[in-house]
Amino acid sequence: MKSGNGKIMSGKNKNDLWAFFSSVKLALFTFFALALASIIGTIIPQGGEFLHFVESRHLSSGTIKVMQALSLPDMYHSWWFVGFLSLFAINLIVCTIDRFPNLLRLVRMDNIALGVDRIVKMPQRRQWFTAAGVEDAESFFAAKLAGFGWKVRHGAHDGHTLLFAQKGPWTRLGVIGVHTSILLIFVGAIIGSSLGFKASLMLPEGTTAAQVYSSGNDNATIPLKFQLRCDWFELDRYDNGTPKDYRSELTVLEDGHEVLKKAIEVNDPLVYRGITFYQSSYQPIKGSYAVEISDKARNLSHRFFIRPGKEIKWPEAGVGFGIVEQRPLYPNSIRHKIWFNDPAGDPVEFWVANGSRVPVVRGGNKYEIVIKQMYATGLQVAHDPGVWFVYAGCIIMLLGLYVAFFMSHRRVWVVLTPTDDGRLKVNFNGSTNKNRVGFDNHFNHMAEELGADESINLTRE
Amino acid sequence: MTSSMLLGITTIAYLVASGLYIALLVFRVKKLGTLATGLTAVTFLVQTAAIILRWMESYRMGYGHPPLSNMYESLVFFSWATVIFYFGLELKFKNRILGAFAIPFAFVSMALASMFHPDAIQPLVPALQSNWLFAHVMTCFVGYAAFAVASGLGVMYLVKLKFQGKEGLLASLPELRVIDDIIHKTIVFGFLWLSAGIITGAIWANSAWGTYWSWDPKETWSLITWFVYAAALHARFTRGWGGKRIAWLAIIGFVAVVFTYYGVNFLLSGLHSYGSG
Ligand code: HEM
């Protein structure tokens, strides 16, 4: 069942190269090689931080050249690291192909046809004798084994009568699940890096973009097939000043028509046409403010992005307003003095704390006004058609690991052989590919019960 | 009663329990074992209560998150998981001496938590507000707990091997063959959870930032750890490695775990620096 056997059984034309790529020795080597190489990448800062690193260490230009030749600044994508990963993948593929036929044989094997001399040498064994007839003994064992939860098959050869039952032959394929899941994850990663992109976008409130900027070294612009507008950005803080939540209200437009609106937060992105927009950061736009005014009587509402000292008109509601003065308001905040006018009377001025919603009563009408810092929302943009392969690989890996580690292929046989003195010799045998101890216990328990049952009177001699 | 007070009691009680288990190893007085297990069980209940209480306190403060969000909380959880894992082993193998090589880990991580990490309940920054984060931390730490115990058993194996044949002290340790078997099973268990931990971490990263893998030092170190244990497992079931070599790999693997979990935060920089709080 181990490698020696497998090589004969699989019937491949083995050359040295094949043997090399299918060996577990190579796997152990690549495990350690990948582990060691990865350590280098965690010690030498990657990407943009590399230059900072070499400067702070005063490395000589020769050293830097060598490091660059080895692609150390971007080690995980270097030719040699990718080479190790490829070696790992090839090793896994070849090894799996190499062992597959043997594995399949073990899963589908006809265990009744297995020679009796092999069966009686299985690791778990008991031998009894009985005076009962073959048919009685056969039905006794069939009933008992069924009682223990085994589904029995009957057979006979060379004068022996056999009963056989097994559980979980397919669990042997768990290993294949684990190994192919790793390949599936690789496939997903390759698809993602060749057909997808990672990009970013700083989008000020009230503006629309139709392109994003690649996060790769080239910072290339990537045009979108649609437009994205940021309608509003909101930042909530905890009492101690750290950000609690930030969210952007986004609108997707196709040819100027709104097709989708969604408020995104960290951990809750917007997906449109396979492109995902993640809330990742924000940036205040100095000196600009976002204002939302609602006219309660007419049920109108409008947002403006303004600078202080300038009158803003909202013709629809007949309103004019502006920020005329600003003062700090406890640490971290400010208040704004608003000038406000509408047809209901003379203009008024009043103070509004940044971010709070304030009612303005004018004649029979009521307005509500909120004013806050204007922001640009920082978005990570990703298009990754490979991610579902990766996720599928992850799920298969976990299932496969569970099967490979905690489930086993267990087999039991009963062989009935007539003896010269007219009795029956009974061989009760079992084998498992894993969890030997657990199976031993189960087997012993069954053997004890069989031996104690008086219906066919099993004896040791 | 606040969760901090209960956790203070827990730390001291695990120290005493560790002492009792070690005394059991040295003096082989059965009563000590009963006492050690009894004390550990009670302490474990206190610790469980403390964790639940801390969770409730976070709601009272308006933050409302499971207590798995920073170094302090994860060390407490690690200690808790180590004890529950140890109890599983004690029940399965009916051997209390294993405790001398497991419960000290529970104490040390509680001690590290209370000495070096602020125990204030902190609000979560937006990136950490995800159920995947909690799935991630939990699965990782169940794995780490198993690996801690495996390394303790590795030490046990090597000690027993060194003094083999000499009667006395170490005669009460389980047979080498049995220790070897427990180490293997423990690593297998840990490996499944570590794999789940890496996967949930990747899913979380993808839902927060749009990349499931970015080779940041902590991710990379968890992968290194994974490779070490994968190597140990393959060496065993295909090349028949066992005994001393697996005992050493269990220890090396745990060194990698400690570095992934603890060292990376202090020595290297990256996304996960949240843990340094
Ligand atoms: C990190 C990646 C890998 C993981 C997680 C992994 C996982 C596993 C698991 C869970 C098993 C089953 C253990 C058991 O039967 O109890 C196994 C067996 C095995 N693996 Fe891997 N493996 C990996 C990489 C590789 C590679 C690169 C090779 C290349 C040769 C390989 C070769 C084998 C072989 C030959 C077996 C034994 C199968 C048998 O007994 O029939 N593995 N592996």
Side-chain angles (χ1 to χ4, degrees):
Chain A
M1 148 189 162
K2 288 289 175 189
S3 56
N5 223 347
K7 279 179 187 159
I8 301 160
M9 302 304 299
S10 58
K12 278 231 156 54
N13 182 16
K14 303 278 168 198
N15 52 38
D16 291 346
L17 204 62
W18 181 269
F20 172 75
F21 278 117
S22 69
S23 77
V24 178
K25 253 192 197 151
L26 177 65
L28 294 179
F29 166 79
T30 27
F31 283 145
F32 283 112
L34 283 170
L36 288 176
S38 303
I39 294 178
I40 300 175
T42 64
I43 294 171
I44 297 175
Q46 297 288 297
E49 285 170 56
F50 178 77
L51 277 182
H52 181 71
F53 170 78
V54 292
E55 273 165 25
S56 68
R57 298 288 151 112
H58 306 290
L59 298 180
S60 71
S61 64
T63 317
I64 296 173
K65 279 217 179 80
V66 172
M67 287 174 125
Q68 272 164 346
L70 291 173
S71 305
L72 291 189
D74 189 19
M75 195 205 88
Y76 299 110
H77 303 102
S78 69
W79 56 270
W80 59 271
F81 193 78
V82 172
F84 273 133
L85 287 175
S86 314
L87 186 64
F88 178 78
I90 293 168
N91 187 199
L92 205 46
I93 295 169
V94 175
C95 176
T96 305
I97 296 175
D98 189 57
R99 290 170 165 257
F100 192 65
N102 193 30
L103 205 58
L104 207 60
R105 189 184 60 80
L106 282 167
V107 173
R108 311 210 312 210
M109 188 163 70
D110 179 2
N111 288 281
I112 287 193
L114 206 63
V116 166
D117 43 339
R118 276 187 63 191
I119 295 174
V120 299
K121 279 197 215 109
M122 289 293 166
Q124 280 81 12
R125 51 191 118 149
R126 284 288 189 292
Q127 195 174 62
W128 294 290
F129 294 90
T130 175
V134 173
E135 273 162 31
D136 286 347
E138 200 178 348
S139 53
F140 165 77
F141 281 107
K144 284 302 256 186
L145 285 177
F148 296 128
W150 296 86
K151 261 169 75 185
V152 180
R153 279 174 50 218
H154 298 261
H157 53 80
D158 301 339
H160 307 279
T161 304
L162 288 100
L163 291 95
F164 168 74
Q166 63 179 343
K167 285 180 185 166
W170 58 273
T171 60
R172 289 182 182 269
L173 300 177
V175 183
I176 302 271
V178 177
H179 289 160
T180 32
S181 73
I182 294 167
L183 295 172
L184 205 53
I185 291 171
F186 276 17
V187 168
I190 292 168
I191 293 178
S193 64
S194 52
L195 300 179
F197 63 79
K198 303 264 184 272
S200 63
L201 177 65
M202 262 293 166
L203 190 59
E205 285 175 285
T207 63
T208 305
Q211 60 188 30
V212 293
Y213 304 91
S214 169
S215 312
N217 294 335
D218 51 353
N219 278 330
T221 56
I222 301 171
L224 301 174
K225 294 199 174 73
F226 53 89
Q227 298 92 47
L228 186 71
R229 188 176 69 212
C230 176
D231 296 318
W232 197 248
F233 178 86
E234 202 125 349
L235 173 66
D236 255 2
R237 290 177 190 276
Y238 290 108
D239 295 341
N240 69 4
T242 55
K244 177 178 180 185
D245 268 322
Y246 38 105
R247 33 181 273 146
S248 307
E249 292 173 20
L250 300 180
T251 301
V252 176
L253 304 117
E254 296 244 25
D255 306 321
H257 301 290
E258 296 183 359
V259 289
L260 181 66
K261 273 181 181 291
K262 177 171 163 117
I264 65 165
E265 298 181 22
V266 183
N267 281 310
D268 182 20
L270 160 78
V271 187
Y272 188 71
R273 285 203 184 193
I275 299 176
T276 312
F277 296 87
Y278 298 87
Q279 180 73 73
S280 78
S281 63
Y282 54 87
Q283 220 172 52
I285 295 176
K286 288 257 158 60
S288 293
Y289 296 86
V291 181
E292 185 177 62
I293 305 184
S294 16
D295 177 336
K296 292 290 174 193
R298 271 170 290 185
N299 210 3
L300 292 173
S301 171
H302 206 276
R303 285 164 175 175
F304 305 86
F305 301 97
I306 65 170
R307 291 178 162 272
K310 193 163 169 267
E311 188 187 340
I312 308 293
K313 292 247 189 267
W314 183 16
E316 224 178 321
V319 167
F321 69 97
I323 301 174
V324 289
E325 194 185 336
Q326 292 176 311
R327 294 245 177 96
L329 178 67
Y330 38 81
N332 299 329
S333 191
I334 55 170
R335 51 189 186 141
H336 313 269
K337 191 177 202 180
I338 305 283
W339 174 89
F340 188 94
N341 192 17
D342 78 342
D346 294 333
V348 283
E349 288 186 352
F350 51 90
W351 287 96
V352 177
N354 192 57
S356 63
R357 201 166 278 277
V358 194
V360 184
V361 181
R362 298 279 293 174
N365 197 359
K366 197 174 123 184
Y367 299 90
E368 221 170 53
I369 185 162
V370 60
I371 171 164
K372 63 167 196 70
Q373 170 66 51
M374 179 182 169
Y375 287 97
T377 182
L379 305 174
Q380 291 280 353
V381 187
H383 172 54
D384 188 347
V387 76
W388 294 109
F389 288 83
V390 174
Y391 281 3
C394 290
I395 292 168
I396 294 171
M397 179 186 290
L398 289 180
L399 293 176
L401 282 174
Y402 183 81
V403 172
F405 287 151
F406 298 111
M407 299 179 83
S408 50
H409 179 198
R410 285 151 296 161
R411 298 178 287 178
V412 293
W413 292 263
V414 175
V415 184
L416 305 172
T417 315
T419 60
D420 296 340
D421 57 6
R423 293 191 301 166
L424 270 183
K425 185 170 81 178
V426 180
N427 285 99
F428 179 43
N429 294 82
S431 108
T432 181
N433 66 334
K434 256 171 283 162
N435 188 14
R436 183 69 191 274
V437 179
F439 184 68
D440 271 347
N441 291 340
H442 183 53
F443 186 85
N444 291 339
H445 165 77
M446 289 191 295
E448 234 158 75
E449 239 182 71
L450 289 168
D453 195 304
E454 292 180 350
S455 49
I456 64 164
N457 234 334
L458 296 167
T459 54
R460 287 297 176 104
E461 294 299 328
Chain B
M1 210 30 108
T2 65
S3 65
S4 300
M5 287 159 71
L6 290 180
L7 289 172
I9 296 171
T10 303
T11 311
I12 294 164
Y14 280 151
L15 174 63
V16 177
S18 302
L20 287 172
Y21 275 117
I22 292 168
L24 169 70
L25 173 71
V26 176
F27 302 112
R28 281 175 287 147
V29 179
K30 242 190 153 149
K31 277 218 179 93
L32 282 172
T34 319
L35 206 60
T37 300
L39 177 60
T40 308
V42 172
T43 313
F44 178 74
L45 293 180
V46 171
Q47 192 181 21
T48 310
I51 292 173
I52 295 172
L53 195 60
R54 189 175 168 94
W55 197 340
M56 284 161 38
E57 284 164 7
S58 85
Y59 271 94
R60 217 169 303 139
M61 296 172 73
Y63 303 150
H65 60 79
L68 293 168
S69 71
N70 58 20
M71 207 61 173
Y72 177 85
E73 293 174 344
S74 60
L75 280 166
V76 171
F77 183 73
F78 171 76
S79 152
W80 184 86
T82 305
V83 174
I84 201 169
F85 184 80
Y86 164 70
F87 273 131
L89 277 191
E90 186 182 303
L91 279 180
K92 186 154 181 201
F93 294 94
K94 311 254 178 307
N95 191 324
R96 295 206 161 121
I97 291 174
L98 303 179
F101 297 86
I103 299 305
F105 285 110
F107 161 67
V108 169
S109 82
M110 285 303 295
L112 282 177
S114 48
M115 284 192 293
F116 298 115
H117 301 283
D119 70 347
I121 298 178
Q122 294 151 334
L124 291 181
V125 300
L128 301 188
Q129 297 164 11
S130 162
N131 289 331
W132 285 111
L133 164 71
F134 301 110
H136 171 55
V137 177
M138 247 171 62
T139 42
C140 280
F141 278 83
V142 172
Y144 291 173
F147 291 143
V149 173
S151 75
L153 295 170
V155 172
M156 182 198 262
Y157 187 96
L158 295 173
V159 169
K160 170 119 183 167
L161 191 67
K162 178 126 197 178
F163 296 98
Q164 213 177 15
K166 291 183 197 147
E167 289 308 306
L169 252 185
L170 303 159
S172 53
L173 291 179
E175 280 176 60
L176 286 176
R177 195 179 49 79
V178 176
I179 307 176
D180 179 63
D181 184 51
I182 309 178
I183 293 178
H184 174 66
K185 292 200 165 116
T186 305
I187 290 181
V188 159
F189 180 87
F191 190 75
L192 181 63
W193 286 95
L194 176 62
S195 308
I198 294 175
I199 288 172
T200 45
I203 297 175
W204 169 42
N206 195 45
S207 72
W209 295 287
T211 33
Y212 48 82
W213 195 261
S214 51
W215 294 105
D216 111 295
K218 193 129 185 157
E219 277 171 9
T220 308
W221 267 95
S222 69
L223 192 67
I224 292 166
T225 308
W226 195 67
F227 280 137
V228 171
Y229 286 110
L233 292 175
H234 284 80
R236 186 181 186 94
F237 49 61
T238 64
R239 310 198 65 79
W241 281 29
K244 215 164 128 179
R245 290 198 265 194
I246 294 295
W248 273 112
L249 278 172
I251 295 167
I252 294 169
F254 188 62
V255 170
V257 167
V258 171
F259 194 81
T260 304
Y261 169 31
Y262 217 71
V264 169
N265 293 323
F266 301 111
L267 302 176
L268 308 167
S269 63
L271 282 177
H272 281 77
S273 23
Y274 86 88
S276 58

